[in-house]
Structures are given as C-alpha cells and as structure tokens.
C-alpha cells in the first residue's frame, strides 16, 4: 500500500495527558517547542487531526509567520465521519487547502479550498486509514504530520502507521482518570501485542524534554 512518511507529534504532561480533564486545550509546549513544531509542520506536505480536536481546540493548523516568514502551508486533513466540522472553524479558512474525510453525505457549503472525500469505515467503525493514506499518496502527499488527539494517534499506532514519533514532555502534571492521553482507544490487553519503540534521541528543550522514537517492527 502506498502511504506518506508519517510523523506523529504530541505534547504531553509528565503524567502523559494531552489536555485538561474536561478536554479543554492547555499549553504544554514551551516557546522553543512551538518553534520546532511549526518548523516541522512547514517541512510536511499535510497535517492530520481528528474531529474532536477540531471541536475542542478550533486549531488553525497553519505555519505562523512569527516562526517562518517564507512558508508553504501544508494541506490540512480532518477525520470526521459525521461531517461535524463547523463552517466557521479556523481549519477551513482560506489560508490553506483542507481535506475532510467523512462517511456521510455532507450538505455543508464550504469555501473552494475545502474538499470533502467519502471514505468507508473500518471494522471498528472508524474511517479506514488504509483508504485515507492511499488517497493522500495519490495526491502527491509524501509526508504527513499527525497531531492528535489521543484517539487518532492510537489508531495510527495500532495499525503501525508511524515512522517517527516525537513526544514533548512539558514539566507539568494534569492528572484525572479520564483525561485524554497520547494514545487512548481500547488499548492493549495482551503483553505480546505491546507496541514497542526504540528511543532515537532526547534533549532538553525550553522547560521540557523532547524525545524521538521509531517503532520496532
Ligand atoms: N497536546 C497535544 O499535542 C494535543 C494535540 C491534539 C489534540 N489534543 C487534545 O486531544 C483531545 C481530543 O482527542 P480525542 O481523542 O478526544 O479526539 P481526536 O483524536 O481528536 O478525534 C477522534 C475522533 O475522530 C474521528 N475519527 C474518524 N476516523 C478516525 C480514525 N480512523 N481514528 C481515530 N479517530 C477517527 C472519530 O469521530 P467521528 O466518529 O465523529 O468521526 C473520533 O471520535 C482534545 O482535548 C485536544 O485538546 C492535544
């Protein structure tokens, strides 16, 4: 199967959480890490997130001028099986192209920079990642940055769709039994199926720690 090179990037607290316990967004990255993330975005052809990240955080998913004056905006990709992306969300503004993968007929009228692509579901009811990655490949997207949230990252990991995993560990604790983490979903029930990584590099970055892993396949 043809697929882009996949970089998963996520900022977590010391206890592995990625938002506040009520799902609200929280600043985990340091300024130095934001600069790294924007530069990484600029190097990728596309950035992908799940619909719950869009609904909770309303991200732009663009590269900010503050970090790069000469920048090409990557394509923004949303996994949204029920076409819930709001027409006024920042991710569909005219600053970049946006692809919304969905499983329902979507009657919303977006601007011309937004394309809706119909996609079948996998056996667990999620949009089929094989189809999506193959579709992105046929569009010439060679590198894809997956930014979350925890459900999307889990599904990429459990399917082995990762080449590089960057985790920035901010020096905070959030806590909460149900607070989203880097990888949510149903989890692994058998130690034989653990998803294993090799630590490639780590360094202090601002007030936190940047780690780089690659999956052991
Ligand atoms: N710290 C960070 O770096 C960071 C980055 C991003 C997000 N976040 C946080 O993450 C939280 C949201 O994470 P989340 O886990 O609740 O939601 P999410 O991963 O953003 O979105 C999950 C939703 O996407 C849709 N989806 C469709 N196909 C999918 C597939 N193949 N795999 C996975 N999802 C698919 C499903 O909704 P439908 O069934 O409606 O299609 C699913 O419920 C927010 O609190 C946000 O602040 C943190």
């Amino acid at each position: 199967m043809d697929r882009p090179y996949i970089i998963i990037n996520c900022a977590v607290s010391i206890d592995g959480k990625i938002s506040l316990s009520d799902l609200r967004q929280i600043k985990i990255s340091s300024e130095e890490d934001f600069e790294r993330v924007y530069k990484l975005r600029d190097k990728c052809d596309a950035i992908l997130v799940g619909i719950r990240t869009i609904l909770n955080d309303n991200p732009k998913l663009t590269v900010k001028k503050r970090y790069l004056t000469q920048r090409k905006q990557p394509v923004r990709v949303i996994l949204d099986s029920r076409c819930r992306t709001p027409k006024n969300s920042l991710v569909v503004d005219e600053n970049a192209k946006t692809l919304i993968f969905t499983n329902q007929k979507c009657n919303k009228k977006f601007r011309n920079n937004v394309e809706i692509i119909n996609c079948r579901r996998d056996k667990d009811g999620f949009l089929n990642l094989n189809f999506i990655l193959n579709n992105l490949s046929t569009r010439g997207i060679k590198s894809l940055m997956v930014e979350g949230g925890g459900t999307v990252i889990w599904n990429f990991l459990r399917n082995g769709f990762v080449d590089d995993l960057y985790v920035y560990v901010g020096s905070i604790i959030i806590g909460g039994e149900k607070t989203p983490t880097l990888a949510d979903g149903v989890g692994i029930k058998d130690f034989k199926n653990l998803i294993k990584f090799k630590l490639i590099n780590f360094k202090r970055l601002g007030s936190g720690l940047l780690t780089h892993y690659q999956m052991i396949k």
Side-chain angles (χ1 to χ4, degrees), residues 11 18-19 23 50-53 57 79 81-82 84 126-127 129 147 149-152 155:
I18 61 169
S19 69
L23 293 188
I51 181 62
R52 282 163 56 107
T53 295
D57 304 354
L79 306 189
S81 61
R82 289 172 278 167
R84 291 187 288 158
F126 289 109
L127 294 178
L129 292 183
E147 292 206 24
T151 310
V152 163
N155 272 329

mmCIF file with all atom_site columns, all heavy atoms in Angstrom, residues 11 18-19 23 50-53 57 79 81-82 84 126-127 129 147 149-152 155, ligand 1:
data_model
loop_
_atom_site.group_PDB
_atom_site.id
_atom_site.type_symbol
_atom_site.label_atom_id
_atom_site.label_alt_id
_atom_site.label_comp_id
_atom_site.label_asym_id
_atom_site.label_entity_id
_atom_site.label_seq_id
_atom_site.pdbx_PDB_ins_code
_atom_site.Cartn_x
_atom_site.Cartn_y
_atom_site.Cartn_z
_atom_site.occupancy
_atom_site.B_iso_or_equiv
_atom_site.pdbx_formal_charge
_atom_site.auth_seq_id
_atom_site.auth_comp_id
_atom_site.auth_asym_id
_atom_site.auth_atom_id
_atom_site.pdbx_PDB_model_num
ATOM   1   N N   . ALA A 1 11  ? 2.372   16.787 22.424 1.00 0.00 ? 11  ALA A N   1
ATOM   2   C CA  . ALA A 1 11  ? 2.902   17.360 23.660 1.00 0.00 ? 11  ALA A CA  1
ATOM   3   C C   . ALA A 1 11  ? 2.117   16.770 24.829 1.00 0.00 ? 11  ALA A C   1
ATOM   4   O O   . ALA A 1 11  ? 0.881   16.793 24.824 1.00 0.00 ? 11  ALA A O   1
ATOM   5   C CB  . ALA A 1 11  ? 2.752   18.880 23.641 1.00 0.00 ? 11  ALA A CB  1
ATOM   6   N N   . ILE A 1 18  ? -2.820  14.989 27.559 1.00 0.00 ? 18  ILE A N   1
ATOM   7   C CA  . ILE A 1 18  ? -2.646  15.925 26.439 1.00 0.00 ? 18  ILE A CA  1
ATOM   8   C C   . ILE A 1 18  ? -3.615  17.112 26.472 1.00 0.00 ? 18  ILE A C   1
ATOM   9   O O   . ILE A 1 18  ? -3.619  17.938 25.573 1.00 0.00 ? 18  ILE A O   1
ATOM   10  C CB  . ILE A 1 18  ? -2.739  15.199 25.079 1.00 0.00 ? 18  ILE A CB  1
ATOM   11  C CG1 . ILE A 1 18  ? -4.112  14.538 24.881 1.00 0.00 ? 18  ILE A CG1 1
ATOM   12  C CG2 . ILE A 1 18  ? -1.627  14.172 24.937 1.00 0.00 ? 18  ILE A CG2 1
ATOM   13  C CD1 . ILE A 1 18  ? -4.351  14.049 23.461 1.00 0.00 ? 18  ILE A CD1 1
ATOM   14  N N   . SER A 1 19  ? -4.508  17.141 27.487 1.00 0.00 ? 19  SER A N   1
ATOM   15  C CA  . SER A 1 19  ? -5.405  18.305 27.631 1.00 0.00 ? 19  SER A CA  1
ATOM   16  C C   . SER A 1 19  ? -5.824  18.374 29.098 1.00 0.00 ? 19  SER A C   1
ATOM   17  O O   . SER A 1 19  ? -5.387  17.546 29.905 1.00 0.00 ? 19  SER A O   1
ATOM   18  C CB  . SER A 1 19  ? -6.637  18.158 26.734 1.00 0.00 ? 19  SER A CB  1
ATOM   19  O OG  . SER A 1 19  ? -7.453  17.121 27.220 1.00 0.00 ? 19  SER A OG  1
ATOM   20  N N   . LEU A 1 23  ? -11.222 18.102 28.777 1.00 0.00 ? 23  LEU A N   1
ATOM   21  C CA  . LEU A 1 23  ? -10.857 18.103 27.345 1.00 0.00 ? 23  LEU A CA  1
ATOM   22  C C   . LEU A 1 23  ? -10.365 19.454 26.839 1.00 0.00 ? 23  LEU A C   1
ATOM   23  O O   . LEU A 1 23  ? -9.916  19.559 25.702 1.00 0.00 ? 23  LEU A O   1
ATOM   24  C CB  . LEU A 1 23  ? -12.008 17.650 26.431 1.00 0.00 ? 23  LEU A CB  1
ATOM   25  C CG  . LEU A 1 23  ? -12.505 16.232 26.486 1.00 0.00 ? 23  LEU A CG  1
ATOM   26  C CD1 . LEU A 1 23  ? -13.502 16.005 25.338 1.00 0.00 ? 23  LEU A CD1 1
ATOM   27  C CD2 . LEU A 1 23  ? -11.380 15.232 26.368 1.00 0.00 ? 23  LEU A CD2 1
ATOM   28  N N   . GLY A 1 50  ? -8.079  14.594 14.332 1.00 0.00 ? 50  GLY A N   1
ATOM   29  C CA  . GLY A 1 50  ? -9.437  14.067 14.450 1.00 0.00 ? 50  GLY A CA  1
ATOM   30  C C   . GLY A 1 50  ? -10.429 15.183 14.724 1.00 0.00 ? 50  GLY A C   1
ATOM   31  O O   . GLY A 1 50  ? -10.071 16.282 15.155 1.00 0.00 ? 50  GLY A O   1
ATOM   32  N N   . ILE A 1 51  ? -11.700 14.890 14.481 1.00 0.00 ? 51  ILE A N   1
ATOM   33  C CA  . ILE A 1 51  ? -12.759 15.903 14.610 1.00 0.00 ? 51  ILE A CA  1
ATOM   34  C C   . ILE A 1 51  ? -12.882 16.431 16.038 1.00 0.00 ? 51  ILE A C   1
ATOM   35  O O   . ILE A 1 51  ? -13.212 17.597 16.253 1.00 0.00 ? 51  ILE A O   1
ATOM   36  C CB  . ILE A 1 51  ? -14.128 15.357 14.100 1.00 0.00 ? 51  ILE A CB  1
ATOM   37  C CG1 . ILE A 1 51  ? -15.227 16.423 14.213 1.00 0.00 ? 51  ILE A CG1 1
ATOM   38  C CG2 . ILE A 1 51  ? -14.549 14.087 14.816 1.00 0.00 ? 51  ILE A CG2 1
ATOM   39  C CD1 . ILE A 1 51  ? -15.034 17.655 13.423 1.00 0.00 ? 51  ILE A CD1 1
ATOM   40  N N   . ARG A 1 52  ? -12.597 15.582 17.022 1.00 0.00 ? 52  ARG A N   1
ATOM   41  C CA  . ARG A 1 52  ? -12.759 16.072 18.406 1.00 0.00 ? 52  ARG A CA  1
ATOM   42  C C   . ARG A 1 52  ? -11.722 17.154 18.734 1.00 0.00 ? 52  ARG A C   1
ATOM   43  O O   . ARG A 1 52  ? -11.990 18.055 19.531 1.00 0.00 ? 52  ARG A O   1
ATOM   44  C CB  . ARG A 1 52  ? -12.707 14.907 19.390 1.00 0.00 ? 52  ARG A CB  1
ATOM   45  C CG  . ARG A 1 52  ? -14.056 14.158 19.389 1.00 0.00 ? 52  ARG A CG  1
ATOM   46  C CD  . ARG A 1 52  ? -13.965 12.794 19.999 1.00 0.00 ? 52  ARG A CD  1
ATOM   47  N NE  . ARG A 1 52  ? -13.454 12.784 21.343 1.00 0.00 ? 52  ARG A NE  1
ATOM   48  C CZ  . ARG A 1 52  ? -14.192 12.552 22.440 1.00 0.00 ? 52  ARG A CZ  1
ATOM   49  N NH1 . ARG A 1 52  ? -15.479 12.328 22.325 1.00 0.00 ? 52  ARG A NH1 1
ATOM   50  N NH2 . ARG A 1 52  ? -13.639 12.523 23.624 1.00 0.00 ? 52  ARG A NH2 1
ATOM   51  N N   . THR A 1 53  ? -10.568 17.081 18.103 1.00 0.00 ? 53  THR A N   1
ATOM   52  C CA  . THR A 1 53  ? -9.570  18.153 18.284 1.00 0.00 ? 53  THR A CA  1
ATOM   53  C C   . THR A 1 53  ? -10.082 19.443 17.640 1.00 0.00 ? 53  THR A C   1
ATOM   54  O O   . THR A 1 53  ? -9.929  20.530 18.192 1.00 0.00 ? 53  THR A O   1
ATOM   55  C CB  . THR A 1 53  ? -8.206  17.718 17.681 1.00 0.00 ? 53  THR A CB  1
ATOM   56  O OG1 . THR A 1 53  ? -7.731  16.614 18.434 1.00 0.00 ? 53  THR A OG1 1
ATOM   57  C CG2 . THR A 1 53  ? -7.189  18.837 17.709 1.00 0.00 ? 53  THR A CG2 1
ATOM   58  N N   . ASP A 1 57  ? -10.571 22.375 20.227 1.00 0.00 ? 57  ASP A N   1
ATOM   59  C CA  . ASP A 1 57  ? -9.484  23.368 20.240 1.00 0.00 ? 57  ASP A CA  1
ATOM   60  C C   . ASP A 1 57  ? -9.631  24.451 19.166 1.00 0.00 ? 57  ASP A C   1
ATOM   61  O O   . ASP A 1 57  ? -8.968  25.471 19.248 1.00 0.00 ? 57  ASP A O   1
ATOM   62  C CB  . ASP A 1 57  ? -8.119  22.685 19.994 1.00 0.00 ? 57  ASP A CB  1
ATOM   63  C CG  . ASP A 1 57  ? -7.833  21.567 20.990 1.00 0.00 ? 57  ASP A CG  1
ATOM   64  O OD1 . ASP A 1 57  ? -8.624  21.396 21.932 1.00 0.00 ? 57  ASP A OD1 1
ATOM   65  O OD2 . ASP A 1 57  ? -6.816  20.876 20.814 1.00 0.00 ? 57  ASP A OD2 1
ATOM   66  N N   . LEU A 1 79  ? -10.287 13.954 10.076 1.00 0.00 ? 79  LEU A N   1
ATOM   67  C CA  . LEU A 1 79  ? -11.050 12.700 10.096 1.00 0.00 ? 79  LEU A CA  1
ATOM   68  C C   . LEU A 1 79  ? -12.371 12.988 10.799 1.00 0.00 ? 79  LEU A C   1
ATOM   69  O O   . LEU A 1 79  ? -12.393 13.270 11.996 1.00 0.00 ? 79  LEU A O   1
ATOM   70  C CB  . LEU A 1 79  ? -10.273 11.602 10.837 1.00 0.00 ? 79  LEU A CB  1
ATOM   71  C CG  . LEU A 1 79  ? -8.856  11.317 10.351 1.00 0.00 ? 79  LEU A CG  1
ATOM   72  C CD1 . LEU A 1 79  ? -8.300  10.059 11.025 1.00 0.00 ? 79  LEU A CD1 1
ATOM   73  C CD2 . LEU A 1 79  ? -8.815  11.176 8.842  1.00 0.00 ? 79  LEU A CD2 1
ATOM   74  N N   . SER A 1 81  ? -16.157 11.487 10.446 1.00 0.00 ? 81  SER A N   1
ATOM   75  C CA  . SER A 1 81  ? -17.093 10.594 9.742  1.00 0.00 ? 81  SER A CA  1
ATOM   76  C C   . SER A 1 81  ? -18.507 11.158 9.641  1.00 0.00 ? 81  SER A C   1
ATOM   77  O O   . SER A 1 81  ? -19.243 10.806 8.737  1.00 0.00 ? 81  SER A O   1
ATOM   78  C CB  . SER A 1 81  ? -17.099 9.211  10.384 1.00 0.00 ? 81  SER A CB  1
ATOM   79  O OG  . SER A 1 81  ? -17.509 9.314  11.706 1.00 0.00 ? 81  SER A OG  1
ATOM   80  N N   . ARG A 1 82  ? -18.887 12.062 10.591 1.00 0.00 ? 82  ARG A N   1
ATOM   81  C CA  . ARG A 1 82  ? -20.268 12.591 10.542 1.00 0.00 ? 82  ARG A CA  1
ATOM   82  C C   . ARG A 1 82  ? -20.345 14.031 10.015 1.00 0.00 ? 82  ARG A C   1
ATOM   83  O O   . ARG A 1 82  ? -21.349 14.692 10.178 1.00 0.00 ? 82  ARG A O   1
ATOM   84  C CB  . ARG A 1 82  ? -20.883 12.492 11.936 1.00 0.00 ? 82  ARG A CB  1
ATOM   85  C CG  . ARG A 1 82  ? -21.170 11.045 12.321 1.00 0.00 ? 82  ARG A CG  1
ATOM   86  C CD  . ARG A 1 82  ? -21.585 10.920 13.761 1.00 0.00 ? 82  ARG A CD  1
ATOM   87  N NE  . ARG A 1 82  ? -20.443 10.900 14.661 1.00 0.00 ? 82  ARG A NE  1
ATOM   88  C CZ  . ARG A 1 82  ? -20.511 11.040 15.984 1.00 0.00 ? 82  ARG A CZ  1
ATOM   89  N NH1 . ARG A 1 82  ? -21.677 11.257 16.549 1.00 0.00 ? 82  ARG A NH1 1
ATOM   90  N NH2 . ARG A 1 82  ? -19.425 10.979 16.734 1.00 0.00 ? 82  ARG A NH2 1
ATOM   91  N N   . ARG A 1 84  ? -19.010 16.881 11.022 1.00 0.00 ? 84  ARG A N   1
ATOM   92  C CA  . ARG A 1 84  ? -19.360 17.837 12.081 1.00 0.00 ? 84  ARG A CA  1
ATOM   93  C C   . ARG A 1 84  ? -18.466 19.080 12.060 1.00 0.00 ? 84  ARG A C   1
ATOM   94  O O   . ARG A 1 84  ? -18.616 19.962 12.898 1.00 0.00 ? 84  ARG A O   1
ATOM   95  C CB  . ARG A 1 84  ? -19.247 17.151 13.444 1.00 0.00 ? 84  ARG A CB  1
ATOM   96  C CG  . ARG A 1 84  ? -20.311 16.089 13.671 1.00 0.00 ? 84  ARG A CG  1
ATOM   97  C CD  . ARG A 1 84  ? -20.271 15.552 15.084 1.00 0.00 ? 84  ARG A CD  1
ATOM   98  N NE  . ARG A 1 84  ? -19.127 14.710 15.343 1.00 0.00 ? 84  ARG A NE  1
ATOM   99  C CZ  . ARG A 1 84  ? -18.637 14.460 16.546 1.00 0.00 ? 84  ARG A CZ  1
ATOM   100 N NH1 . ARG A 1 84  ? -19.155 15.038 17.608 1.00 0.00 ? 84  ARG A NH1 1
ATOM   101 N NH2 . ARG A 1 84  ? -17.602 13.651 16.707 1.00 0.00 ? 84  ARG A NH2 1
ATOM   102 N N   . PHE A 1 126 ? -14.298 3.246  12.667 1.00 0.00 ? 126 PHE A N   1
ATOM   103 C CA  . PHE A 1 126 ? -13.546 4.470  12.354 1.00 0.00 ? 126 PHE A CA  1
ATOM   104 C C   . PHE A 1 126 ? -13.354 4.574  10.849 1.00 0.00 ? 126 PHE A C   1
ATOM   105 O O   . PHE A 1 126 ? -13.451 3.576  10.128 1.00 0.00 ? 126 PHE A O   1
ATOM   106 C CB  . PHE A 1 126 ? -12.167 4.442  13.026 1.00 0.00 ? 126 PHE A CB  1
ATOM   107 C CG  . PHE A 1 126 ? -12.229 4.602  14.513 1.00 0.00 ? 126 PHE A CG  1
ATOM   108 C CD1 . PHE A 1 126 ? -11.950 3.535  15.351 1.00 0.00 ? 126 PHE A CD1 1
ATOM   109 C CD2 . PHE A 1 126 ? -12.567 5.819  15.084 1.00 0.00 ? 126 PHE A CD2 1
ATOM   110 C CE1 . PHE A 1 126 ? -12.004 3.687  16.726 1.00 0.00 ? 126 PHE A CE1 1
ATOM   111 C CE2 . PHE A 1 126 ? -12.622 5.981  16.455 1.00 0.00 ? 126 PHE A CE2 1
ATOM   112 C CZ  . PHE A 1 126 ? -12.344 4.905  17.286 1.00 0.00 ? 126 PHE A CZ  1
ATOM   113 N N   . LEU A 1 127 ? -13.026 5.776  10.384 1.00 0.00 ? 127 LEU A N   1
ATOM   114 C CA  . LEU A 1 127 ? -12.713 5.926  8.963  1.00 0.00 ? 127 LEU A CA  1
ATOM   115 C C   . LEU A 1 127 ? -11.488 5.074  8.646  1.00 0.00 ? 127 LEU A C   1
ATOM   116 O O   . LEU A 1 127 ? -10.547 5.003  9.447  1.00 0.00 ? 127 LEU A O   1
ATOM   117 C CB  . LEU A 1 127 ? -12.459 7.400  8.639  1.00 0.00 ? 127 LEU A CB  1
ATOM   118 C CG  . LEU A 1 127 ? -13.681 8.308  8.777  1.00 0.00 ? 127 LEU A CG  1
ATOM   119 C CD1 . LEU A 1 127 ? -13.301 9.757  8.470  1.00 0.00 ? 127 LEU A CD1 1
ATOM   120 C CD2 . LEU A 1 127 ? -14.818 7.864  7.861  1.00 0.00 ? 127 LEU A CD2 1
ATOM   121 N N   . LEU A 1 129 ? -8.159  3.958  7.608  1.00 0.00 ? 129 LEU A N   1
ATOM   122 C CA  . LEU A 1 129 ? -6.877  4.670  7.435  1.00 0.00 ? 129 LEU A CA  1
ATOM   123 C C   . LEU A 1 129 ? -6.134  4.221  6.184  1.00 0.00 ? 129 LEU A C   1
ATOM   124 O O   . LEU A 1 129 ? -5.429  5.012  5.564  1.00 0.00 ? 129 LEU A O   1
ATOM   125 C CB  . LEU A 1 129 ? -5.993  4.499  8.671  1.00 0.00 ? 129 LEU A CB  1
ATOM   126 C CG  . LEU A 1 129 ? -6.482  5.186  9.949  1.00 0.00 ? 129 LEU A CG  1
ATOM   127 C CD1 . LEU A 1 129 ? -5.471  5.000  11.072 1.00 0.00 ? 129 LEU A CD1 1
ATOM   128 C CD2 . LEU A 1 129 ? -6.737  6.675  9.723  1.00 0.00 ? 129 LEU A CD2 1
ATOM   129 N N   . GLU A 1 147 ? -1.177  15.084 14.396 1.00 0.00 ? 147 GLU A N   1
ATOM   130 C CA  . GLU A 1 147 ? -1.054  15.889 15.623 1.00 0.00 ? 147 GLU A CA  1
ATOM   131 C C   . GLU A 1 147 ? -2.059  15.510 16.710 1.00 0.00 ? 147 GLU A C   1
ATOM   132 O O   . GLU A 1 147 ? -2.099  16.130 17.759 1.00 0.00 ? 147 GLU A O   1
ATOM   133 C CB  . GLU A 1 147 ? -1.185  17.377 15.275 1.00 0.00 ? 147 GLU A CB  1
ATOM   134 C CG  . GLU A 1 147 ? -0.014  17.896 14.469 1.00 0.00 ? 147 GLU A CG  1
ATOM   135 C CD  . GLU A 1 147 ? 0.209   19.391 14.639 1.00 0.00 ? 147 GLU A CD  1
ATOM   136 O OE1 . GLU A 1 147 ? -0.194  19.966 15.660 1.00 0.00 ? 147 GLU A OE1 1
ATOM   137 O OE2 . GLU A 1 147 ? 0.783   19.976 13.714 1.00 0.00 ? 147 GLU A OE2 1
ATOM   138 N N   . GLY A 1 149 ? -6.140  13.978 18.167 1.00 0.00 ? 149 GLY A N   1
ATOM   139 C CA  . GLY A 1 149 ? -5.814  13.738 19.570 1.00 0.00 ? 149 GLY A CA  1
ATOM   140 C C   . GLY A 1 149 ? -5.507  12.274 19.850 1.00 0.00 ? 149 GLY A C   1
ATOM   141 O O   . GLY A 1 149 ? -5.070  11.525 18.975 1.00 0.00 ? 149 GLY A O   1
ATOM   142 N N   . GLY A 1 150 ? -5.766  11.881 21.076 1.00 0.00 ? 150 GLY A N   1
ATOM   143 C CA  . GLY A 1 150 ? -5.383  10.557 21.550 1.00 0.00 ? 150 GLY A CA  1
ATOM   144 C C   . GLY A 1 150 ? -6.030  9.402  20.798 1.00 0.00 ? 150 GLY A C   1
ATOM   145 O O   . GLY A 1 150 ? -5.415  8.341  20.634 1.00 0.00 ? 150 GLY A O   1
ATOM   146 N N   . THR A 1 151 ? -7.247  9.595  20.314 1.00 0.00 ? 151 THR A N   1
ATOM   147 C CA  . THR A 1 151 ? -7.937  8.516  19.588 1.00 0.00 ? 151 THR A CA  1
ATOM   148 C C   . THR A 1 151 ? -7.295  8.312  18.223 1.00 0.00 ? 151 THR A C   1
ATOM   149 O O   . THR A 1 151 ? -7.044  7.180  17.798 1.00 0.00 ? 151 THR A O   1
ATOM   150 C CB  . THR A 1 151 ? -9.440  8.863  19.419 1.00 0.00 ? 151 THR A CB  1
ATOM   151 O OG1 . THR A 1 151 ? -9.951  9.250  20.695 1.00 0.00 ? 151 THR A OG1 1
ATOM   152 C CG2 . THR A 1 151 ? -10.226 7.685  18.887 1.00 0.00 ? 151 THR A CG2 1
ATOM   153 N N   . VAL A 1 152 ? -7.020  9.410  17.552 1.00 0.00 ? 152 VAL A N   1
ATOM   154 C CA  . VAL A 1 152 ? -6.382  9.324  16.237 1.00 0.00 ? 152 VAL A CA  1
ATOM   155 C C   . VAL A 1 152 ? -4.976  8.724  16.365 1.00 0.00 ? 152 VAL A C   1
ATOM   156 O O   . VAL A 1 152 ? -4.606  7.804  15.624 1.00 0.00 ? 152 VAL A O   1
ATOM   157 C CB  . VAL A 1 152 ? -6.331  10.725 15.572 1.00 0.00 ? 152 VAL A CB  1
ATOM   158 C CG1 . VAL A 1 152 ? -5.337  10.755 14.424 1.00 0.00 ? 152 VAL A CG1 1
ATOM   159 C CG2 . VAL A 1 152 ? -7.723  11.103 15.068 1.00 0.00 ? 152 VAL A CG2 1
ATOM   160 N N   . ASN A 1 155 ? -5.064  4.982  16.855 1.00 0.00 ? 155 ASN A N   1
ATOM   161 C CA  . ASN A 1 155 ? -5.380  4.211  15.646 1.00 0.00 ? 155 ASN A CA  1
ATOM   162 C C   . ASN A 1 155 ? -4.215  4.163  14.666 1.00 0.00 ? 155 ASN A C   1
ATOM   163 O O   . ASN A 1 155 ? -4.007  3.137  14.012 1.00 0.00 ? 155 ASN A O   1
ATOM   164 C CB  . ASN A 1 155 ? -6.643  4.755  14.973 1.00 0.00 ? 155 ASN A CB  1
ATOM   165 C CG  . ASN A 1 155 ? -7.877  4.094  15.556 1.00 0.00 ? 155 ASN A CG  1
ATOM   166 O OD1 . ASN A 1 155 ? -7.822  2.948  15.977 1.00 0.00 ? 155 ASN A OD1 1
ATOM   167 N ND2 . ASN A 1 155 ? -8.981  4.813  15.594 1.00 0.00 ? 155 ASN A ND2 1
HETATM 168 N N1  . LIG B 2 .   ? -1.275  18.024 23.461 1.00 0.00 ? 1   LIG B N1  1
HETATM 169 C C1  . LIG B 2 .   ? -1.351  17.827 22.163 1.00 0.00 ? 1   LIG B C1  1
HETATM 170 O O1  . LIG B 2 .   ? -0.309  17.747 21.465 1.00 0.00 ? 1   LIG B O1  1
HETATM 171 C C2  . LIG B 2 .   ? -2.714  17.676 21.524 1.00 0.00 ? 1   LIG B C2  1
HETATM 172 C C3  . LIG B 2 .   ? -2.815  17.677 20.137 1.00 0.00 ? 1   LIG B C3  1
HETATM 173 C C4  . LIG B 2 .   ? -4.086  17.499 19.574 1.00 0.00 ? 1   LIG B C4  1
HETATM 174 C C5  . LIG B 2 .   ? -5.194  17.330 20.387 1.00 0.00 ? 1   LIG B C5  1
HETATM 175 N N2  . LIG B 2 .   ? -5.068  17.344 21.728 1.00 0.00 ? 1   LIG B N2  1
HETATM 176 C C6  . LIG B 2 .   ? -6.234  17.133 22.608 1.00 0.00 ? 1   LIG B C6  1
HETATM 177 O O2  . LIG B 2 .   ? -6.834  15.891 22.258 1.00 0.00 ? 1   LIG B O2  1
HETATM 178 C C7  . LIG B 2 .   ? -8.202  15.927 22.674 1.00 0.00 ? 1   LIG B C7  1
HETATM 179 C C8  . LIG B 2 .   ? -9.063  15.285 21.594 1.00 0.00 ? 1   LIG B C8  1
HETATM 180 O O3  . LIG B 2 .   ? -8.648  13.947 21.431 1.00 0.00 ? 1   LIG B O3  1
HETATM 181 P P1  . LIG B 2 .   ? -9.742  12.806 21.232 1.00 0.00 ? 1   LIG B P1  1
HETATM 182 O O4  . LIG B 2 .   ? -9.047  11.511 21.383 1.00 0.00 ? 1   LIG B O4  1
HETATM 183 O O5  . LIG B 2 .   ? -10.908 13.094 22.117 1.00 0.00 ? 1   LIG B O5  1
HETATM 184 O O6  . LIG B 2 .   ? -10.245 13.030 19.739 1.00 0.00 ? 1   LIG B O6  1
HETATM 185 P P2  . LIG B 2 .   ? -9.496  13.092 18.315 1.00 0.00 ? 1   LIG B P2  1
HETATM 186 O O7  . LIG B 2 .   ? -8.448  12.030 18.251 1.00 0.00 ? 1   LIG B O7  1
HETATM 187 O O8  . LIG B 2 .   ? -9.126  14.491 18.007 1.00 0.00 ? 1   LIG B O8  1
HETATM 188 O O9  . LIG B 2 .   ? -10.720 12.738 17.339 1.00 0.00 ? 1   LIG B O9  1
HETATM 189 C C9  . LIG B 2 .   ? -11.276 11.432 17.399 1.00 0.00 ? 1   LIG B C9  1
HETATM 190 C C10 . LIG B 2 .   ? -12.475 11.356 16.508 1.00 0.00 ? 1   LIG B C10 1
HETATM 191 O O10 . LIG B 2 .   ? -12.085 11.412 15.133 1.00 0.00 ? 1   LIG B O10 1
HETATM 192 C C11 . LIG B 2 .   ? -12.986 10.658 14.369 1.00 0.00 ? 1   LIG B C11 1
HETATM 193 N N3  . LIG B 2 .   ? -12.299 9.636  13.579 1.00 0.00 ? 1   LIG B N3  1
HETATM 194 C C12 . LIG B 2 .   ? -12.692 9.252  12.331 1.00 0.00 ? 1   LIG B C12 1
HETATM 195 N N4  . LIG B 2 .   ? -11.891 8.317  11.865 1.00 0.00 ? 1   LIG B N4  1
HETATM 196 C C13 . LIG B 2 .   ? -10.965 8.073  12.811 1.00 0.00 ? 1   LIG B C13 1
HETATM 197 C C14 . LIG B 2 .   ? -9.879  7.155  12.875 1.00 0.00 ? 1   LIG B C14 1
HETATM 198 N N5  . LIG B 2 .   ? -9.562  6.337  11.855 1.00 0.00 ? 1   LIG B N5  1
HETATM 199 N N6  . LIG B 2 .   ? -9.158  7.113  14.013 1.00 0.00 ? 1   LIG B N6  1
HETATM 200 C C15 . LIG B 2 .   ? -9.452  7.932  15.036 1.00 0.00 ? 1   LIG B C15 1
HETATM 201 N N7  . LIG B 2 .   ? -10.467 8.827  15.039 1.00 0.00 ? 1   LIG B N7  1
HETATM 202 C C16 . LIG B 2 .   ? -11.221 8.898  13.912 1.00 0.00 ? 1   LIG B C16 1
HETATM 203 C C17 . LIG B 2 .   ? -13.972 9.982  15.336 1.00 0.00 ? 1   LIG B C17 1
HETATM 204 O O11 . LIG B 2 .   ? -15.123 10.827 15.443 1.00 0.00 ? 1   LIG B O11 1
HETATM 205 P P3  . LIG B 2 .   ? -16.364 10.574 14.435 1.00 0.00 ? 1   LIG B P3  1
HETATM 206 O O12 . LIG B 2 .   ? -16.865 9.201  14.766 1.00 0.00 ? 1   LIG B O12 1
HETATM 207 O O13 . LIG B 2 .   ? -17.317 11.668 14.711 1.00 0.00 ? 1   LIG B O13 1
HETATM 208 O O14 . LIG B 2 .   ? -15.777 10.605 13.061 1.00 0.00 ? 1   LIG B O14 1
HETATM 209 C C18 . LIG B 2 .   ? -13.192 10.041 16.647 1.00 0.00 ? 1   LIG B C18 1
HETATM 210 O O15 . LIG B 2 .   ? -14.018 10.019 17.785 1.00 0.00 ? 1   LIG B O15 1
HETATM 211 C C19 . LIG B 2 .   ? -8.572  17.382 22.909 1.00 0.00 ? 1   LIG B C19 1
HETATM 212 O O16 . LIG B 2 .   ? -8.764  17.573 24.282 1.00 0.00 ? 1   LIG B O16 1
HETATM 213 C C20 . LIG B 2 .   ? -7.339  18.147 22.431 1.00 0.00 ? 1   LIG B C20 1
HETATM 214 O O17 . LIG B 2 .   ? -7.096  19.300 23.212 1.00 0.00 ? 1   LIG B O17 1
HETATM 215 C C21 . LIG B 2 .   ? -3.845  17.523 22.310 1.00 0.00 ? 1   LIG B C21 1
#
